[in-house]
Amino acid sequence: VYRMISDGDTTGVFQLESSGFKELLKKLKPDCFEDIIAAGALYRPGPLEGGMVDDFINRKHGRTPIVYHHPAMEPILKETYGVIVYQEQVMQIARALAGYSLGGADLLRRAMGKKKKEVMEKEKAKFLDGARVTGVGEKVADEVFDLMAAFAGYGFNKSHSAAYGLVTYQTAYLKRHFPEEFWAALLTCDKDDIDKVARYVAEVRDRDGLVLPPDLNQSEMDFAVVKTPIGKKPEPRLRGNTVGAAGRRADAAAAAASGREVGATERKAIRFGLSAIKGVGENAVEAILLARTEKGQYGSLFTLCERVDTRKVNKKVLEALIKAGALDAVVPTRAAAMAALDGAVERAQKAQRERESGQTSLFSLLGGGASKPGAPGAAGQSDFGPPPPYPELPEWSPRQKLAFEKESLGFYVSGHPMDRYAPKLKRARAATVAQLLGEAESDIPSPSPRERPDVSCGGVVSDFRERPLKSGTGRMCSFRLEDPTGGIEVVCFSKPFAEYEQVLKSDEPILAVGSLVCDGDGDTQQRKLHLREAHLLSRLRREKTQKVLIELPIDELTRERAQSLLKMLGQHHGHVPVSLFLCKEGDWRVEAQLPAHLRVVPTDEFLAALHTLCGEAAVQLR
């Protein structure tokens, strides 16, 4: 736990979340509970600006010698390396060196905190008189009093810091040892703050954690930890020349780092709660969960509609569930479910009217009704006969699915429009939103004093707002730039807006270039991006991509898949060459450069189709 804290890995940990606190922890490297208490007391403007924090850190790590002005001070200041950090230490020193009573020491502490000159002169005389009685030399007593007076203005209440520090350590312990449960609880607490939820989900995934979309048969009201099967056969991955035993060792190391044993059949995952879906209120969720408890899991959209009160779980609620992906496990496609919704609701309303009037279907009388709760087969059965077939429709495009997820959940869950651009942005050293906001490690320094020019960040435009200038001679706009790590406010003045208006209004992922600007100080600091340029990432990709690489194990390249691949390449003919890597795990790997008539244009549509056919991990752009 202390190693985790010392690394600044404290997102979600009580008190320690801000970027400034994380930097302090990396320098301090706390290794005991007393350090946690001290860190909470030191992370304040006074100690930070007065050099007290640097002195404390240097003494802890032996760069500055620890000096005690009197032997009686050592047991009082040992845990803080000779630095007066707490108000209680001022009181203890006054008692040990000058014989103060507890009440008198508390009055001294108050006087030092208020720095009233007349009161301080009286207290100093009292302190020196007391020191003579206890046998402390006048010179030492004078130095110690001045030292206490200098630190008293920064002193913090230790009992307060210790109580907070205990909660800090407890939350850090939970994060380290029970990560899925920790993140599920944190996501539930902040489920109404979309930026925080997006940032937490991105961090979980960066740690090889699983965050699953809402599911009709697994989700609870709030975020919950569930067990999910580990796939037996991973998708093929581009590993350069690292295959065979080395590749297996890398996979094993990654699995061990994620806290799960290699060879296990299940792993923990975080499942979205149904109440996190916009438009799905708690009453609707309670109705869904109650019917699931009483009659078992749902088997289709039709059984869902029949079992619940359609006045609570109305058509708008059902639409939100479908768009969020909550019904994916019980419907053929989201498009088919949406097309079947009107009929399912009408059928359910008829069933509800018949139940209320005391009628029973012939199907139920003949023994075809729903089984007892939890019985095998109960999930898909109905009191009103077999449900009608779903319409045969093509599934929504990946882009449309993600757009509906954003609409119903506030952000993207099963993917992000930026995912396919991540490697190129990383190679281009573009920052993430979290890095611009100072919430993730970055080589981008904090703006000094108020601006950092020449930063770039990829994202999608949301909350677009356009307004005319007061002069009436032009327009400007502001919007949020969002990526998987969060969102940042962007301001675009009249000149760049006139040049890049079409790019900003295209609904396509963009690369934003500009200056990072700060308002405010410390933890109240607000960072914004002042836009200078904006470019469509899809156009940049088409212009910059030099080769498309596809890697497949030889046993997965069936005749049908090869024919589909050739057809797809022909449909997207362009200028970018394609290489096909065929491999046999641990044995051999060969590259086949495809002929010129199979060159392609790396558009979104082409990549989406290629990912569907071969798997996203099998495709790489260079």
Side-chain angles (χ1 to χ4, degrees), residues 40 42 44 66 90 115 149 188 275 285 305 326 377 402 413 437 489 500 509 512 547 554 566 593 599 621:
L42 290 169
R44 295 177 297 117
I66 299 172
V90 171
K115 297 186 182 299
T188 296
S275 64
V285 176
C305 293
L402 289 176
V413 178
L437 294 175
E489 186 75 12
Y500 299 108
K547 182 181 285 190
I554 188 65
L566 288 172
Q593 177 75 47
R599 293 184 177 184
L621 303 182

Side-chain angles (χ1 to χ4, degrees), residues 73 90-100 108 112 120-134 136-138 140-146 148:
M73 296 172 66
V90 171
M91 297 169 65
Q92 288 175 293
I93 292 170
R95 282 173 54 78
L97 270 65
Y100 273 61
L108 173 63
M112 286 183 167
M120 288 288 285
E121 288 176 353
K122 291 180 182 179
E123 287 294 342
K124 185 169 185 177
K126 180 181 175 181
F127 185 88
L128 295 177
D129 289 342
R132 278 191 289 271
V133 174
T134 60
V136 177
E138 184 172 347
V140 171
D142 188 73
E143 289 176 354
V144 170
F145 187 89
D146 290 343
M148 289 194 301

Side-chain angles (χ1 to χ4, degrees), residues 26-81:
K26 291 175 187 177
K27 295 176 183 176
L28 176 60
K29 297 199 177 300
D31 55 9
C32 59
F33 184 56
E34 288 75 15
D35 285 350
I36 299 295
I37 301 173
L42 290 169
Y43 188 67
R44 295 177 297 117
L48 288 168
E49 294 167 5
M52 185 176 170
V53 174
D54 291 335
D55 188 31
F56 185 93
I57 292 171
N58 288 332
R59 290 185 182 209
K60 172 178 171 60
H61 295 297
R63 293 187 285 268
T64 298
I66 299 172
V67 178
Y68 302 103
H69 288 74
H70 190 276
M73 296 172 66
E74 182 172 353
I76 299 170
L77 300 180
K78 187 174 182 179
E79 69 177 75
T80 54
Y81 313 105

Side-chain angles (χ1 to χ4, degrees), residues 490-517:
V490 181
V491 178
C492 180
F493 296 106
S494 58
K495 186 175 180 180
F497 182 52
E499 186 173 356
Y500 299 108
E501 179 179 359
Q502 296 306 313
V503 173
L504 298 177
K505 292 181 176 180
S506 67
D507 291 330
E508 294 283 344
I510 68 169
L511 179 69
V513 181
S515 300
L516 184 62
V517 178

Side-chain angles (χ1 to χ4, degrees), residues 101-127:
S101 66
L102 283 171
D106 190 44
L107 292 174
L108 173 63
R109 174 193 64 79
R110 293 185 194 179
M112 286 183 167
K114 293 179 180 178
K115 297 186 182 299
K116 292 185 177 180
K117 187 176 180 180
E118 301 82 6
V119 179
M120 288 288 285
E121 288 176 353
K122 291 180 182 179
E123 287 294 342
K124 185 169 185 177
K126 180 181 175 181
F127 185 88

Side-chain angles (χ1 to χ4, degrees), residues 153-169:
Y154 300 145
F156 196 73
N157 184 273
K158 183 182 179 182
S159 59
H160 177 92
S161 189
Y164 272 49
L166 181 60
V167 180
T168 294
Y169 184 85

Side-chain angles (χ1 to χ4, degrees), residues 457-533:
C457 181
V460 292
V461 175
S462 68
D463 298 335
F464 184 86
R465 301 175 298 279
E466 179 183 340
R467 63 179 182 272
L469 298 179
K470 291 181 180 179
S471 62
T473 58
R475 295 167 300 146
M476 63 175 292
C477 74
S478 61
F479 57 89
R480 275 173 60 84
L481 185 70
E482 297 181 351
D483 73 0
T485 68
I488 187 171
E489 186 75 12
V490 181
V491 178
C492 180
F493 296 106
S494 58
K495 186 175 180 180
F497 182 52
E499 186 173 356
Y500 299 108
E501 179 179 359
Q502 296 306 313
V503 173
L504 298 177
K505 292 181 176 180
S506 67
D507 291 330
E508 294 283 344
I510 68 169
L511 179 69
V513 181
S515 300
L516 184 62
V517 178
C518 287
D519 297 321
D521 297 296
D523 290 340
T524 62
Q525 190 181 80
Q526 298 291 322
R527 299 187 179 194
K528 296 181 180 180
L529 186 65
H530 284 183
L531 190 76
R532 189 168 64 252
E533 300 175 22

Side-chain angles (χ1 to χ4, degrees), residues 547-564:
K547 182 181 285 190
V548 176
L549 308 178
I550 307 169
E551 180 170 315
L552 288 172
I554 188 65
D555 58 351
E556 292 185 12
L557 188 63
T558 61
R559 180 180 295 275
E560 292 75 15
R561 176 175 283 190
Q563 290 174 342
S564 298

